[in-house]
C-alpha cells in the first residue's frame, strides 16, 4: 500500500529536510513512519506542506551552519518549521537565528517531534485514522528500497577528544538483538538487498546489555557483533540469495577478527568501515581513541590472508592539535603500508564543547590544508593502483540506477561493487546494459577500466 493510498483525502502534509549522517536518516525514517501511522501524508515539496520538519546535524560547526541555512530556507519557502536532531540540543542558537521556528526537539526525541507536529498541524480527524495500518511495507524509507540502514545502538561509551556525540546522544544503549533481526528481516522481505549496519561503535554492540541473549527462530542469539553478522547473513532476499551486509563504524577490538571468516564464507560482505582517524601513537593518545593498539597493520595483513577481497574504508583527521610534521609523515607511511581501499579525510575543526579545543599547539590552517592535500594525493594514488588491479576481473555489482538509452540505443547504469558503500565510496559505471535491468539487481560485471575512485565495466550475459 503506498503512502498516498493510506492517507485521508484531507490529511495534513508533512515535509522533511534530513541533514547529516546515515544515523540521522534512520531517525527521519522513524519519525515519518510514525507520523504516517497517525494519518499524516508526506509532502515532497515545501509548497504542499502544512509543516516542515528539519532534521539537523550539530556535530561540526560547518554542519551547524548548514543546519541553520536549511532552517532558514524552510522558513522562507514554507514558514511553518519544526526543528529536530542533534542541533536541537542548541535551541538558543536556533532561536537566535530563526525566532519563527514553531518547536525544537533534540536527537531521538521521537515522541516530542510527533507531539509538536500534532500541536502545530493537528491531524485530520476521520473514522479511518485509528485503522491506518503500520505493516512493514508501509514504513517510510528515505534510502532507495534496495538498500537500508540498520541502526543497532545509540550513544557511545568513549570520550574521543574531538567528539561531542556522547554529550549529545548519551552512553551506549544497544537495541535487543531480536528486534534488530526482526527489522532486518522485514526490510529484506520488502525488497532490501543490502543492509548497512550503523551505530556510533558497532564493535561495542551489546556491551551495555552484557550481550543479552534472546530467542531468534528457536535458538539463542547474543547481542554481539559476530552473532548479528552471522544471522543477517542467513537472511534471504526476495530472489533467495543472502543480502549484502556491511558493517560501518567498527573499532578494531580483538573480537573483530571473528567476523572476517564470515566474510570468507560469504555470510558478510567483505567490507569493513573502521574510522582509524590517525596512526601516529602520540596523536591517537591525545585523541583518546578506543582500541588504539599497535598491531593494526599485522591484523590487516592477517585479515587479507583469510579474506583476500576484503575492502577496508577509513577516515582520518589531519591537523589535530599537537600533530607534528613527524606525526603526519608517520601517518602517510602507515597508509602506504596499510593500503586501505577507501579513505576519507577531514581537516581538524574545533567542535563547541569538545575537549580537544583546550589542547595546546593548534596546527595553523595553511599547514592543515597542505597536509590534507598531501594525504588526499597519497590515498588517491593507492586507490588508483588498487582499482587498476581489478581490471579484467569479474565482480558482483549491485545496480543503483539505470539510465535512459542514448542515440545509439545504449543504456548505461550506475552500480557498486562489494567494496563500495552507497554515498561514501566509489561506483561501477556500466555500459550497454539490458533494458530489463532494475535498481537493486545484483549481477556479474567484467571490469574494463578504472580511474582514481571508480570502475568501468560491462555485464556478463547470463
Ligand atoms: S567512538 Fe569517539 S568519535 Fe565515535 S562517537 Fe564515540 S566518542 Fe565520538
Amino acid at each position: 500500500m503506498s503512502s498516498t493510498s493510506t492517507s485521508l483525502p484531507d490529511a495534513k502534509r508533512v515535509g522533511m529536510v534530513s541533514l547529516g549522517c546515515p544515523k540521522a536518516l534512520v531517525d527521519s525514517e522513524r519519525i515519518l513512519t510514525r507520523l504516517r501511522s497517525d494519518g499524516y501524508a508526506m509532502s515532497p515539496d515545501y509548497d504542499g506542506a502544512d509543516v516542515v520538519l528539519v532534521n539537523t546535524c550539530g556535530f561540526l560547526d560547518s554542519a551547524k551552519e548548514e543546519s541553520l541555512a536549511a532552517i532558514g530556507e524552510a522558513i522562507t519557502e514554507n514558514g511553518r518549521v519544526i526543528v529536530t536532531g542533534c542541533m536541537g540540543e542548541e535551541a538558543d542558537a536556533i532561536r537566535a537565528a530563526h525566532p519563527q521556528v514553531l518547536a525544537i526537539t533534540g536527537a531521538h526525541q521521537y515522541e516530542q517531534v510527533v507531539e509538536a507536529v500534532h500541536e502545530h498541524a493537528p491531524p485530520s480527524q476521520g473514522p479511518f485514522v485509528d485503522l491506518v495500518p503500520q505493516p512493514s511495507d508501509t514504513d517510510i524509507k528515505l534510502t532507495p528500497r534496495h538498500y537500508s540502514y540498520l541502526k543497532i545502538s545509540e550513544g557511545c561509551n568513549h570520550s574521543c577528544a574531538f567528539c561531542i556525540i556522547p554529550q549529545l546522544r548519551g552512553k551506549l544503549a544497544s537495541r535487543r538483538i531480536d528486534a534488530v533481526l526482526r527489522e532486518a528481516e522485514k526490510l529484506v522481505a520488502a525488497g532490501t538487498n543490502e543492509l548497512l549496519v550503523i551505530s556510533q561503535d558497532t564493535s561495542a554492540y551489546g556491551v551495555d546489555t552484557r550481550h543479552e541473549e534472546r530467542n531468534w527462530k528457536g535458538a539463542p542469539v547474543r547481542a554481539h557483533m559476530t552473532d548479528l553478522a552471522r544471522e543477517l547473513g542467513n537472511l534471504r532476499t526476495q530472489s533467495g540469495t543472502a543480502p549484502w551486509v556491511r558493517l560501518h563504524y567498527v573499532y578494531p577490538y580483538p573480537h573483530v577478527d571473528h567476523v572476517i571468516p564470515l566474510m570468507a564464507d560469504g555470510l558478510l560482505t567483505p567490507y569493513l568501515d573502521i574510522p582509524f582517524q590517525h596512526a601516529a601513537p602520540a596523536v591517537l593518545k591525545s585523541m583518546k581513541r578506543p582500541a588504539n593498539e599497535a598491531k593494526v597493520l599485522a591484523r590487516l595483513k592477517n585479515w587479507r590472508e583469510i579474506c583476500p577481497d576484503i575492502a577496508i574504508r577509513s577516515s582520518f583527521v589531519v591537523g589535530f592539535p599537537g600533530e607534528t610534521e613527524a606525526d603526519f609523515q608517520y601517518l602517510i607511511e602507515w597508509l602506504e603500508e596499510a593500503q586501505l581501499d577507501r579513505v576519507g579525510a577531514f581537516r581538524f575543526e574545533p567542535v563547541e564543547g569538545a575537549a580537544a579545543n583546550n589542547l595546546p599547539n593548534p596546527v595553523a590552517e595553511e599547514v592543515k590544508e597542505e597536509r590534507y592535500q598531501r594525504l588526499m594525493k597519497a590515498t588517491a594514488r593507492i586507490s588508483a593502483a588498487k582499482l587498476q588491479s581489478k581490471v579484467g576481473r569479474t565482480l558482483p555489482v549491485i545496480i543503483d540506477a539505470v539510465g535512459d538509452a542514448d542515440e545509439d540505443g545504449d543504456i548505461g547504469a550506475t552500480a557498486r561493487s562489494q567494496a563500495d558503500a552507497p554515498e561514501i565510496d566509489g561506483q561501477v559505471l556500466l555500459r550497454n546494459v539490458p533494458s530489463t535491468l532494475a535498481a537493486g539487481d545484483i549481477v556479474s560485471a567484467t571490469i574494463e577500466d578504472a580511474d582514481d575512485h571508480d570502475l568501468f565495466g560491462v555485464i556478463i550475459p547470463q
Side-chain angles (χ1 to χ4, degrees):
M1 203 179 275
S2 74
S3 65
T4 43
S5 61
T6 55
S7 53
L8 297 165
D10 58 350
K12 290 282 168 47
R13 297 193 166 267
V14 179
M16 169 69 91
V17 179
S18 190
L19 303 165
C21 60
K23 285 160 267 202
L25 201 58
V26 171
D27 288 344
S28 295
E29 290 174 357
R30 286 199 184 148
I31 294 165
L32 291 182
T33 298
R34 170 68 200 277
L35 286 172
R36 201 171 65 175
S37 76
D38 288 353
Y40 288 89
M42 299 307 130
S43 170
D45 48 40
Y46 288 121
D47 282 351
D50 293 289
V51 68
V52 175
L53 282 176
V54 181
N55 191 2
T56 56
C57 176
F59 186 49
L60 293 173
D61 287 348
S62 49
K64 285 181 198 166
E65 276 165 31
E66 192 191 340
S67 294
L68 287 176
I71 296 165
E73 182 184 301
I75 288 173
T76 310
E77 297 291 328
N78 180 282
R80 297 180 55 73
V81 175
I82 293 171
V83 177
T84 185
C86 288
M87 206 189 161
E89 312 291 330
E90 296 185 40
D92 290 349
I94 296 171
R95 290 219 182 273
H98 301 295
Q100 313 92 314
V101 291
L102 300 173
I104 301 172
T105 65
H108 322 307
Q109 297 182 334
Y110 307 119
E111 291 304 317
Q112 288 90 328
V113 184
V114 170
E115 267 172 34
V117 174
H118 277 245
E119 187 188 333
H120 295 285
S124 310
Q125 291 304 313
F128 306 116
V129 168
D130 291 340
L131 303 176
V132 173
Q134 203 183 352
S136 62
D137 62 351
T138 65
D139 282 2
I140 302 278
K141 287 182 78 277
L142 299 175
T143 43
R145 213 166 85 105
H146 62 279
Y147 66 83
S148 299
Y149 294 101
L150 184 66
K151 195 176 202 175
I152 58 170
S153 61
E154 278 301 347
C156 175
N157 286 346
H158 302 296
S159 45
C160 300
F162 53 78
C163 179
I164 53 165
I165 292 220
Q167 284 141 265
L168 288 178
R169 303 197 163 197
K171 291 267 178 214
L172 176 73
S174 300
R175 294 178 64 199
R176 283 171 49 159
I177 181 79
D178 52 341
V180 173
L181 291 172
R182 206 169 303 117
E183 181 181 344
E185 190 178 54
K186 273 168 48 174
L187 289 166
V188 168
T192 286
N193 288 342
E194 181 176 8
L195 290 163
L196 304 134
V197 176
I198 57 168
S199 67
Q200 311 295 343
D201 178 359
T202 294
S203 7
Y205 175 55
V207 165
D208 54 316
T209 61
R210 298 178 183 216
H211 302 296
E212 183 195 41
E213 249 180 33
R214 290 278 168 178
N215 187 50
W216 175 248
K217 312 264 177 210
V221 281
R222 293 171 308 154
H224 189 285
M225 186 175 68
T226 315
D227 288 29
L228 172 73
R230 191 189 55 239
E231 295 302 329
L232 292 176
N234 280 325
L235 296 174
R236 287 296 170 264
T237 65
Q238 287 175 346
S239 56
T241 56
W244 287 11
V245 180
R246 290 182 198 282
L247 300 182
H248 288 274
Y249 312 106
V250 174
Y251 290 95
Y253 302 114
H255 69 264
V256 174
D257 294 359
H258 301 306
V259 298
I260 312 298
L262 299 177
M263 297 179 184
D265 292 346
L267 282 170
L268 190 58
T269 302
Y271 178 97
L272 273 186
D273 171 12
I274 309 180
F276 288 116
Q277 309 297 17
H278 215 285
V283 180
L284 286 170
K285 193 160 170 235
S286 68
M287 283 179 166
K288 299 211 178 104
R289 293 293 291 163
N292 158 26
E293 44 114 336
K295 298 200 184 83
V296 168
L297 285 175
R299 288 175 68 207
L300 289 180
K301 189 160 172 270
N302 186 31
W303 294 349
R304 288 185 174 124
E305 271 160 24
I306 298 167
C307 182
D309 272 337
I310 188 171
I312 313 276
R313 142 167 273 274
S314 191
S315 54
F316 294 87
V317 172
V318 298
F320 190 75
E323 181 194 62
T324 62
E325 175 57 29
D327 291 328
F328 180 72
Q329 196 52 42
Y330 186 103
L331 170 59
I332 294 287
E333 281 161 28
W334 188 93
L335 285 166
E336 295 290 351
E337 187 108 6
Q339 291 285 303
L340 303 182
D341 298 79
R342 301 288 184 190
V343 169
F346 303 91
R347 304 161 192 84
F348 172 74
E349 203 182 303
V351 175
E352 203 181 312
N357 305 353
N358 303 323
L359 290 173
N361 304 320
V363 176
E365 288 305 319
E366 60 275 18
V367 177
K368 264 186 220 171
E369 182 60 32
E370 189 255 348
R371 288 181 187 166
Y372 173 80
Q373 296 300 341
R374 276 159 70 196
L375 186 135
M376 293 313 283
K377 212 165 143 198
T379 53
R381 184 172 37 71
I382 293 167
S383 167
K386 295 209 90 164
L387 294 180
Q388 196 60 42
S389 72
K390 296 187 179 180
V391 173
R393 287 187 62 188
T394 298
L395 303 174
V397 297
I398 189 163
I399 305 297
D400 278 333
V402 180
D404 296 325
D406 65 14
E407 61 270 24
D408 300 325
D410 284 349
I411 303 173
T414 311
R416 284 175 293 106
S417 74
Q418 293 195 308
D420 306 308
E423 293 170 39
I424 51 174
D425 293 327
Q427 295 179 323
V428 183
L429 302 162
L430 300 171
R431 64 175 176 87
N432 215 1
V433 303
S435 57
T436 49
L437 197 71
D441 288 351
I442 296 177
V443 292
S444 290
T446 294
I447 304 305
E448 301 175 306
D449 201 357
D451 63 17
D452 284 1
H453 300 290
D454 297 321
L455 295 171
F456 302 85
V458 64
I459 291 178
I460 308 284
Q462 297 297 313

